[in-house]
Amino acid sequence: MRDETYVPFKIIGVNKALVGTPLNDGSPGSALYAVPLTLSRPLSAEEQEAMVAVWDNPPSYSSMHRPGIARCYSTEFVLSKTTIEEVRDHHARTLQGVVEKVNALSEEWHRGKVARETERNAQAELHAKNVKSVADEIEF
C-alpha cells in the first residue's frame, strides 16, 4: 500500500541564480522582473494549478498584489513583473496564505484519493474471495 501521509510543501527561498534583470528602458513596467521561489518538494499538476489560482485570488493580500503574474513549474513558483523588494515587503505575507490554502486543499485531495484507493482495494479483495469461493464449488 502506498504512503497515506500527506507531505505539505513550503517555499524554501528565492532561487537567486534565476532572478530576472529589469530592462529599465523607460517603458511601462520595465523596472519589473521575474523572481523564482524554490519549493520544498515537486508539486503535482493539481497543486501547480492551485498555486496559480490561489495567487490570483488569495485569502489576503496587500494593495501591491498583482493577479496574473504567477507561474508554477514543479519545484519553482515564479512571480513575474515584480521586484525582490516587493516580494520581501508585500508578496511574502500573501504567499504564506497561498501556501497554507493550497496545502489544505492538497491534503483534502490526498485524503480523498487514499479513501478511494482503499475502497477499490477492498472491493477487489471481496471480488477475489468471491471468485475463489464460487470457483471452488464448480465441478466439471
Side-chain angles (χ1 to χ4, degrees), residues 6-9 41 98-108:
Y6 173 72
V7 177
F9 67 93
R41 67 166 174 78
V98 169
V99 169
E100 286 176 19
K101 184 169 182 177
V102 174
N103 270 317
L105 290 169
S106 296
E107 185 171 16
E108 185 178 318

Side-chain angles (χ1 to χ4, degrees), residues 4-5 8 12 27 38 43 52 56 64 70 79 87 96 108 112 125 130-131 136 138 140:
E4 295 184 13
T5 305
I12 58 175
S27 64
T38 303
L43 301 190
V52 173
D56 287 345
M64 295 294 291
L79 295 177
V87 173
Q96 289 169 351
E108 185 178 318
E125 189 176 319
N130 183 57
V131 167
D136 288 347
I138 300 173
F140 293 100

Side-chain angles (χ1 to χ4, degrees), residues 19-76:
V19 170
T21 304
L23 292 175
N24 285 329
D25 63 4
S27 64
S30 69
L32 305 176
Y33 49 90
V35 178
L37 308 168
T38 303
L39 304 173
S40 60
R41 67 166 174 78
L43 301 190
S44 68
E46 293 94 353
E47 289 171 320
Q48 291 177 50
E49 289 177 23
M51 279 293 288
V52 173
V54 174
W55 169 263
D56 287 345
N57 190 19
S60 66
Y61 54 91
S62 75
S63 60
M64 295 294 291
H65 185 70
R66 283 190 217 78
I69 67 167
R71 303 288 178 269
C72 195
Y73 309 98
S74 184
T75 59
E76 296 286 325

Side-chain angles (χ1 to χ4, degrees), residues 72-135:
C72 195
Y73 309 98
S74 184
T75 59
E76 296 286 325
F77 186 71
V78 181
L79 295 177
S80 59
K81 301 177 186 167
T82 191
T83 66
I84 194 72
E85 292 83 7
E86 285 181 355
V87 173
R88 179 194 62 209
D89 299 341
H90 305 286
H91 303 322
R93 273 178 262 129
T94 301
L95 285 163
Q96 289 169 351
V98 169
V99 169
E100 286 176 19
K101 184 169 182 177
V102 174
N103 270 317
L105 290 169
S106 296
E107 185 171 16
E108 185 178 318
W109 296 334
H110 181 77
R111 278 194 308 251
K113 286 178 188 176
V114 169
R116 288 188 298 277
E117 184 177 308
T118 300
E119 178 62 24
R120 276 193 302 273
N121 290 343
Q123 292 293 328
E125 189 176 319
L126 282 173
H127 176 68
K129 285 181 181 178
N130 183 57
V131 167
K132 181 184 179 332
S133 174
V134 173

